């Protein structure tokens, strides 16, 4: 079987290649660049807890020294504190780090992975599809022909892959513009991220955010007016001095300017994310970024969603329903986020009319903005796959948890099959489903003692009989779950269903639905449709 061709060696393409390798699928990454990234301190990414765990798991390392998890969040309006949040174990902070640091860590992990081959200075210029695979041609010093089972375009907003398969990229240009600076200095809120709306020293409608980075650095973003404004170096330095002085009672502290730029937010969404054996992911499929939504974070979710589905098709044969579900699930989530941002922007940025004088409006706007920045609410929370074609039919055996079906599971401590204690997310993406039993009290006994007791033999037999390999895990507890609750979890960490007790038939049906139904049934139906009258 030919490897999967991944076009693009940014965070999304490298993450996809590593995720495929975790599923024992080989890949070739076509990198049009020299194989390294220019350090840009002002080009950063904010990752929510589960996507940060994903890249740390795949990179087999921690970003504790190169990234920052904020100690808190502070929102100001003029000089008034509108909202203050302290992060902790119950409310984890997002991870903030320069994008080149993330990419370098992923490149290092790829270099250690025998199932991933990266070829630099290879720019895609043509591709052809057949029923058995994809042929791609690249140009450059090492240009040649490549043969793959599937091809995924992770090649950014100007995606060559998207153009070659003739997919429209509709949307809006320059929704927002921000002047950006990375600098090393001391601010009055060490470790806290800050959203400051309408600072007294700026015109009405102004907004600036300050987000901590490692080694005493900060990223500052100033929202620019809708009218075109040339951001000269002199004007940017003036903004920096004015802002730092405003936050320090008129006295500008010493600072070291590391990097600057202008960030333009576009909202675009590809009409299709799949064309036969060709897929789009990351910025090639969508552009979003207003109100704190992070495009790289969503791109990593694309890779996580697609990897296990491609792996099943690669190992077990083409499965149209499963592969189609990638577009159905991910495009719906991103489209909903874009709609929410487009509906909110006129209200949040309008600055006038009756709404501006309604009581509670300012605080409501602040909550919406904060939630977007922190990965919560309609502008930032992880998307749900509850309406997915992979969702199982309703069952009387289903029970309610704090995690709704289709949402990412909570990371709890579990006992693995070898008896070791691990985090739940560490077992994700290992080429199988997860079945989690909530059994209080089991943590004080060795697994070999309780594997033959109570409901365990029946549950173990039910897991063995599932239509796809699954790992049986046990947890002392799970938020909102009663004892003996059984959770079925997809390889990308989204909850399929939760059942009250051991229900072999319901568990089997849910697992089959999560895998796109029976591949044999689908093939039979497809052949029958083909053989019938046209």
């Amino acid at each position: 079987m030919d490897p999967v061709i991944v076009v693009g060696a940014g965070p999304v393409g490298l993450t996809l290649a590593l995720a495929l390798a975790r599923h024992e699928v080989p890949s070739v990454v076509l990198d049009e660049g020299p194989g390294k990234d220019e350090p840009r301190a002002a080009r950063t990414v904010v990752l929510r807890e589960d996507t940060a765990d994903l890249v740390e798991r795949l990179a087999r390392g921690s970003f504790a020294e190169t990234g920052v998890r904020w100690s808190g969040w502070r929102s100001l309006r003029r000089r008034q504190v509108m909202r203050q949040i302290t992060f902790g174990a119950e409310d984890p902070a997002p991870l903030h780090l320069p994008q080149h640091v993330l990419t370098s860590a992923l490149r290092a992990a790829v270099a250690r992975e025998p199932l991933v081959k990266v070829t630099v200075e290879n720019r895609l210029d043509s591709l052809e599809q057949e029923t058995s695979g994809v042929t791609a041609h690249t140009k450059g010093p090492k240009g040649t022909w490549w043969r793959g089972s599937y091809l995924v375009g992770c090649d950014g907003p100007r995606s060559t892959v998207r153009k070659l398969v003739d997919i429209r990229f509709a949307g809006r240009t320059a929704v927002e513009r921000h002047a950006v600076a990375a600098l090393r200095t001391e601010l009055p809120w060490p470790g806290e991220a800050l959203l400051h709306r309408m600072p007294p020293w700026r015109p009405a409608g102004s907004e600036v955010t300050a987000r901590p980075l490692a080694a005493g650095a900060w990223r500052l973003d100033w929202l620019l007016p809708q009218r075109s404004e040339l951001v000269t170096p002199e004007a940017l330095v003036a903004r920096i001095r004015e802002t730092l002085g405003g936050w320090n009672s008129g006295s500008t502290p010493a600072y070291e300017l590391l990097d600057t730029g202008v960030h333009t937010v576009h909202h675009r969404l590809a009409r299709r994310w799949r064309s036969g054996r060709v897929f789009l992911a990351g910025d090639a499929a969508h552009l979003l970024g207003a109100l704190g939504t992070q495009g790289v974070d969503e791109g990593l979710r694309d890779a996580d969603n697609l990897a296990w589905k491609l792996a099943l098709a690669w190992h077990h044969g083409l499965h149209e329903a499963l592969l189609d579900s990638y577009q159905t699930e991910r495009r719906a989530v991103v489209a909903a986020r874009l709609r929410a941002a487009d509906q909110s922007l006129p209200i949040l940025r309008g600055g006038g009319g009756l709404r501006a004088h309604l009581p509670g409006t300012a605080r409501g706007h602040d909550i919406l903005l904060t939630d977007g920045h922190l990965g919560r609410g309609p502008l930032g929370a992880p998307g749900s796959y509850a309406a997915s074609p992979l969702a199982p039919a309703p069952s009387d055996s289903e029970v309610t948890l704090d995690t709704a079906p289709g949402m990412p599971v909570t990371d709890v401590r579990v006992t693995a099959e070898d008896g070791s204690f691990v985090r739940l997310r560490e077992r994700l993406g290992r080429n199988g489903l997860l079945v989690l039993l909530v059994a209080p009290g089991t943590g004080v006994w060795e697994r070999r003692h309780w594997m033959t007791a109570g409901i365990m033999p029946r549950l173990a037999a039910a897991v063995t009989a599932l239509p796809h390999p699954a790992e049986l895990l046990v947890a002392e507890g799970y938020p909102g779950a009663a004892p003996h609750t059984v959770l079925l979890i997809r390889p990308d960490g989204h909850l399929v269903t939760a059942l009250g007790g051991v229900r072999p038939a319901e568990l089997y049906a849910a697992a089959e639905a999560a895998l796109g139904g029976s591949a044999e049934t689908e093939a039979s139906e497809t052949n029958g449709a083909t053989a019938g009258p046209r």
Side-chain angles (χ1 to χ4, degrees), residues 14-214:
L14 296 171
T15 296
L16 176 61
L18 288 169
L20 287 169
R22 195 172 172 93
H23 290 289
E24 302 177 358
V25 175
S27 62
V28 174
V29 180
L30 304 181
D31 184 358
E32 69 175 47
K36 57 183 179 181
D37 299 274
E38 177 189 2
R40 290 292 310 275
R43 189 181 186 189
T44 66
V45 297
V46 178
L47 304 180
R48 289 168 284 199
E49 182 192 14
D50 56 335
T51 45
D53 284 348
L54 169 66
V55 293
E56 288 185 334
R57 184 169 68 245
L58 294 175
R60 298 180 183 177
S62 170
F63 293 101
E65 295 183 0
T66 54
V68 166
R69 285 181 167 86
W70 308 325
S71 62
W73 175 275
R74 181 185 298 257
S75 295
L76 297 177
R77 183 178 176 86
R78 296 188 175 90
R79 298 192 184 277
Q80 180 183 0
V81 177
M82 303 291 289
R83 195 177 186 192
Q84 201 163 357
I85 298 171
T86 301
F87 298 118
E90 299 299 320
D91 189 8
L95 174 68
H96 187 208
L97 73 166
Q99 183 168 317
H100 72 268
V101 170
L102 171 61
T103 307
S104 296
L106 294 171
R107 284 189 186 276
V110 162
R112 300 189 298 267
E113 177 51 66
L115 287 176
V116 181
K117 175 182 179 180
V118 179
T119 174
V120 300
E121 297 180 335
N122 266 280
R123 181 170 185 174
L124 180 74
D125 65 352
S126 67
L127 65 86
E128 297 177 359
Q129 294 194 62
E130 305 89 30
T131 56
S132 58
V134 182
T135 302
H137 183 265
T138 56
K139 61 182 179 180
K142 301 179 182 180
T144 186
W145 290 94
W146 302 89
R147 180 66 180 175
S149 54
Y150 301 94
L151 184 145
V152 185
C154 306
D155 49 343
R158 295 181 176 86
S159 171
T160 300
V161 174
R162 189 183 63 240
K163 294 171 184 175
L164 288 175
V165 293
D166 194 25
I167 295 177
R168 291 187 59 194
F169 200 36
R172 299 168 59 203
T173 300
V175 175
E176 288 187 342
R177 294 172 65 245
H178 298 259
V180 182
L183 49 89
R184 189 171 285 113
T185 189
E186 292 186 7
L187 294 183
W189 312 279
E192 287 189 12
L194 172 75
L195 168 65
H196 197 166
R197 305 188 72 204
M198 302 180 68
W201 56 86
R202 295 294 297 169
S206 298
E207 180 180 304
V208 58
T209 57
R211 290 171 283 194
L213 286 162

Side-chain angles (χ1 to χ4, degrees), residues 507-518:
L507 187 64
Y508 187 97
E512 189 174 60
L515 301 172
S518 169

Side-chain angles (χ1 to χ4, degrees), residues 458-524:
R458 187 164 178 247
L459 178 57
V463 171
T464 302
L466 291 179
H468 188 70
E471 182 178 8
L472 176 56
L473 306 170
V474 179
E476 284 272 354
Y478 187 92
H484 295 172
T485 298
V486 176
L487 285 69
L488 180 63
I489 303 166
R490 299 180 358 166
D492 58 358
H494 285 253
L495 179 66
V496 178
T497 189
L499 303 173
V502 180
R503 313 284 182 175
E506 287 90 337
L507 187 64
Y508 187 97
E512 189 174 60
L515 301 172
S518 169
E520 291 79 7
T521 301
E522 181 187 70
S524 174

